[in-house]
Amino acid sequence: MVMSRPVLACSVRGCGLPLERHDAHVTCPSGHAFDVARRGYINLLQPQDRRSPAAGDSREAVNARARLLAAGIGRTVLDAFVHRAVSLDFEPDATVIDIGSGTGDALAEMASQRPISGLGIDLSTAAAEHAARRFPHLTWAVANADRRLPLVDGGVALILSLHARRNAPECARVLAPGGYLLIATPAHDDLVELRESVMGERHQRERADALLGEHEPFFTLMERSTVRERRPLEREALLDLLRSTYRGGRSSEATRVAALQQLDVTLASDFFLFQRRTLPVPTDLKQQ
Ligand SMILES: [Zn+2]
């Protein structure tokens, strides 16, 4: 049985052999096996990942994000992100992975516009379940992408990272030379009004310098841009923003939002398009 691309790799520490898919599980040639959940996603979590305090987004956070997108909130950023990804130069049916795929909307939107072999990876079981239910034609996996990406070396054409954490050496390892990494991070004024009114702080720290430094050894920065939308939001949408953004929101913050009728809110993201250098990655920077 030949597994179609993307070529998933065994996530057992020190293994990394290609996985082959059977009906209800996937296995590597060394005999490590992982379940394919009844709902269609592949669970590649290792015991040390399950014990991690950051077990990924809760079902409540995933549902809140899905409701916001369904109401068009955050669509400007998502559509611009997908538009940039779709217009990149790569072969039809190339492997595209979304790290921190969440509700699955970005990858699914991209797949609706261009033929790709898509894989979404998220640490949250609730997120993978949600995405697999809505977009069963794509592959969804639960894995800790902070540690190691569950993919063989050099087979990926494009990595998407929309407001998610990622590991730069791992992104470089799985990308083909010349492959792309498209990242969106919250801009300095993202949700500024909400942060000001419920958290008493206006500015968030600048992320760009740290991000550029992390990726510089492996990637060339091709483009940088910012996308914004600003719109009046009612209380329910504000509560959903809090649920989706601040990991459920502390109760004191939810109480302050509940006292608001409406608030003009800015949603803003910085986009960074990197291209994998064609030179080999220096061995002292390679992971494992
Ligand atoms: Zn294995």
Side-chain angles (χ1 to χ4, degrees), residues 104-170:
D105 285 272
L107 192 65
E109 184 60 39
M110 187 178 177
S112 75
Q113 296 183 30
R114 194 174 162 173
I116 56 168
S117 177
L119 166 68
I121 300 169
D122 206 290
L123 181 57
S124 160
T125 305
E129 209 176 288
H130 180 99
R133 189 176 63 239
R134 288 178 62 216
F135 311 113
H137 55 295
L138 299 168
T139 305
W140 306 97
V142 179
N144 188 346
D146 280 1
R147 290 172 198 265
R148 188 173 171 86
L149 289 172
L151 288 146
V152 298
D153 294 358
V156 176
L158 167 63
I159 298 176
L160 306 175
S161 171
L162 179 60
H163 296 191
R165 292 190 299 178
R166 80 214 76 70
N167 176 322
E170 274 296 281

Side-chain angles (χ1 to χ4, degrees), residues 10 15 28 32:
C10 180
C15 183
C28 83
H32 303 128

Side-chain angles (χ1 to χ4, degrees), residues 211-259:
L211 186 135
L212 293 173
E214 273 165 38
H215 292 80
E216 197 280 330
F218 316 99
F219 294 94
T220 304
L221 179 66
M222 310 295 286
E223 278 173 33
R224 196 175 156 171
S225 59
T226 303
V227 176
R228 275 192 184 82
E229 63 181 270
R230 188 160 192 265
R231 51 197 302 162
L233 296 181
E234 310 287 331
R235 182 187 299 145
E236 268 314 304
L238 296 171
L239 285 169
D240 273 346
L241 270 180
L242 204 63
R243 290 179 190 116
S244 70
T245 310
Y246 300 116
R247 296 201 170 269
R250 293 184 208 121
S251 59
S252 60
E253 291 162 3
T255 306
R256 259 170 262 159
V257 166

Side-chain angles (χ1 to χ4, degrees), residues 9-19 27-34:
C10 180
S11 60
V12 170
R13 188 174 297 180
C15 183
L17 291 172
L19 290 172
T27 57
C28 83
S30 291
H32 303 128
F34 304 89

Side-chain angles (χ1 to χ4, degrees), residues 10-13 34 43-51 144:
C10 180
S11 60
V12 170
R13 188 174 297 180
F34 304 89
N43 195 334
L44 297 173
L45 278 188
Q46 290 297 295
Q48 67 267 23
D49 297 322
R50 282 183 234 266
R51 284 198 302 270
N144 188 346

